[in-house]
Amino acid sequence: MSKLVLATRNKHKIEEIKTILGDLRLEILTLNDFPYCPELPEDGQTLEENSLMKAVTVHRFTALPSLADDSGLEVFYLRGRPGVRSARYAGENATDEENNEKLLKGMRGVAPRRRSAQFRAVMTLVGEGFQETTEGVCRGRLAESPRGSNGFGYDPIFLPEGFVRTYAELSSEEKNKISHRAKALEKMREVLSKVPRTR
Ligand code: ITT
């Protein structure tokens, strides 16, 4: 069986990625299996840069193929913000609630047709002699107030296209069918199925 290390400690991402890739013959490890792995750099200007830095750092440390996910919510009215700063929008150690609150405050009074937003995930796979990057986008719009308790991050305030429910009101099966993360992983599937076995 081939081993793959997810370059993240975010338990929600880990759960989603493991479920989506559940049918592949992969032993999926995470940074929780490598407690001494150094902090991952996240100071890039783009999701692509951060995703690559995380995957490279973890591959170097573990000597195993590593898959990183850098993702964010891009709001058109805010010219793509919070984007690459999604995790830290309301400050360095901001909670999901604080980030949601800041975003909704900045969008107060903005009409529904101008509340377009998209989630974007950039996945990077780095192994011995191979590297692959894929992107997944889920379009939608911002809700007026938070709704639902599933998922994490901005899920309670994001209405995916074609739904009247927020990401946080969808079951995990529903979210994993349409999400930015699922789409990026779908494109990575072929390469992941060929990850070489590790001794
Ligand atoms: P790692 O870097 O360890 O993977 P992180 O939480 O710091 O974990 P990111 O730097 O990629 O991850 O930041 C992504 C932020 O974007 C995340 O903290 C959420 O606020 C938001 N986000 C990404 N995907 C999301 C999703 O599926 N649902 C809700 N919010 C999401």
Side-chain angles (χ1 to χ4, degrees):
M1 191 113 129
S2 310
K3 288 186 177 170
L4 175 72
V5 189
L6 304 183
T8 181
R9 290 195 173 87
N10 181 318
K11 65 176 196 289
H12 303 281
K13 283 189 185 179
I14 293 172
E15 200 179 304
E16 291 186 6
I17 296 171
K18 279 189 167 175
T19 304
I20 294 166
L21 299 180
D23 59 318
L24 291 181
R25 282 182 52 78
L26 284 173
E27 182 186 342
I28 301 184
L29 306 172
T30 73
L31 285 189
N32 298 325
D33 299 297
F34 299 94
Y36 296 108
C37 184
E39 270 309 302
L40 302 185
E42 293 224 40
D43 51 359
Q45 298 300 306
T46 61
L47 298 179
E48 284 76 7
E49 260 181 75
N50 280 342
S51 185
L52 179 62
M53 285 193 290
K54 291 194 278 192
V56 167
T57 306
V58 172
H59 169 58
R60 281 194 187 137
F61 184 78
T62 62
L64 291 170
S66 166
L67 179 69
D69 164 331
D70 208 65
S71 39
L73 179 61
E74 301 171 335
V75 179
F76 294 95
Y77 184 82
L78 301 174
R79 298 192 303 279
R81 273 178 288 148
V84 71
R85 292 198 39 82
S86 291
R88 300 169 299 280
Y89 193 44
E92 211 43 53
N93 297 309
T95 61
D96 290 343
E97 290 71 26
E98 288 164 346
N99 285 330
N100 284 339
E101 204 177 295
K102 174 167 177 181
L103 189 49
L104 286 184
K105 211 166 156 191
M107 293 294 288
R108 201 174 283 160
V110 177
R113 65 185 167 76
R114 300 178 72 195
R115 299 177 78 86
S116 298
Q118 65 180 28
F119 263 114
R120 198 157 71 86
V122 176
M123 297 277 166
T124 308
L125 175 69
V126 174
E128 207 57 57
F130 59 94
Q131 183 178 314
E132 184 74 31
T133 300
T134 61
E135 181 198 66
V137 170
C138 180
R139 291 186 209 288
R141 64 192 162 83
L142 288 187
E144 303 286 339
S145 55
R147 285 201 325 256
S149 54
N150 298 329
F152 70 107
Y154 297 93
D155 280 354
I157 64 169
F158 180 71
L159 292 156
E161 218 166 69
F163 287 81
V164 290
R165 286 173 295 157
T166 65
Y167 254 3
E169 291 177 309
L170 302 185
S171 66
S172 57
E173 290 78 23
E174 287 174 311
K175 182 182 173 190
N176 286 340
K177 270 189 204 142
I178 61 157
S179 80
H180 50 305
R181 186 159 293 108
K183 287 178 180 161
L185 287 171
E186 209 44 58
K187 295 183 196 163
M188 192 62 94
R189 193 168 268 278
E190 172 89 18
V191 190
L192 283 171
S193 67
K194 293 185 191 136
V195 164
R197 285 175 61 130
T198 26
R199 268 160 283 131

